Structures are given as structure tokens and as C-alpha cells.
Amino acid sequence: CIDGVLGGEDYNHNNINQWTASIVEQSLAHLVKLGKAYKYIVTCAVVQRSAYGFHTASSCFWDTTSDGTCTVRWENRTMNCIVNVFAIAIVL
């Protein structure tokens, strides 16, 4: 999803809202198509590359046997993108 939205693009702050919304919506659509019994939370951050770097962290208090998280880092020469997916099992 990230490469499909940001691939070939240069950082432009005017496009950030559109890009992040598209990445989150596409990611959720793909996750829902899996048909698993999970609630999903997807976050996306896009920042301009700089000498200052970009750091992020998250922590969860949940059932590690059924819930999970995945973080994807993507970059090109002008920007960095971090997408976090949190999957929380639905107990039926």
C-alpha cells in the first residue's frame, strides 16, 4: 500500500493528508479482506527526510497469544513513512 501511494513521489506537505488517508484506507481494506476475527487499528506517519531523523515507539497491554502488531518502515530519498497495524482478536 505504501509503495503504491508514495512510490515515485517526492515529499510535498500539501499531499500528506491525502497520502496518509489513502495508505490507511487501503491497508484496512486489505486486512478486512482476510476475513479474520480481528479489530484493526492502522496508523501512518509521513515525514520529510532530514538530518534529524525520525523515531517512534508504541506499547500495548493485551493478550500476546491472540493479539499482535506489525510496523513497516518505508523510505525514499525525500521522505520516511511508518505504518503501524494493531490487530486485536474478537472473542466470539
Side-chain angles (χ1 to χ4, degrees), residues 9-83:
E9 298 287 345
D10 286 328
Y11 180 85
N12 182 333
H13 71 274
N14 294 321
N15 295 336
I16 296 299
N17 288 340
Q18 176 187 344
W19 288 340
T20 55
S22 183
I23 290 167
V24 168
E25 290 169 10
Q26 288 181 31
S27 298
L28 281 172
H30 286 293
L31 290 165
V32 169
K33 285 181 185 176
L34 296 174
K36 305 289 183 177
Y38 286 96
K39 293 181 183 180
Y40 297 105
I41 301 164
V42 179
T43 66
C44 178
V46 176
V47 295
Q48 187 173 14
R49 286 191 68 164
S50 71
Y52 303 110
F54 175 61
H55 303 275
T56 184
S58 65
S59 180
C60 302
F61 181 74
W62 58 19
D63 184 349
T64 57
T65 62
S66 59
D67 305 328
T69 184
C70 177
T71 300
V72 176
R73 179 175 179 247
W74 180 96
E75 64 182 64
N76 68 9
R77 63 181 183 79
T78 63
M79 61 185 144
N80 293 320
C81 178
I82 303 288
V83 174

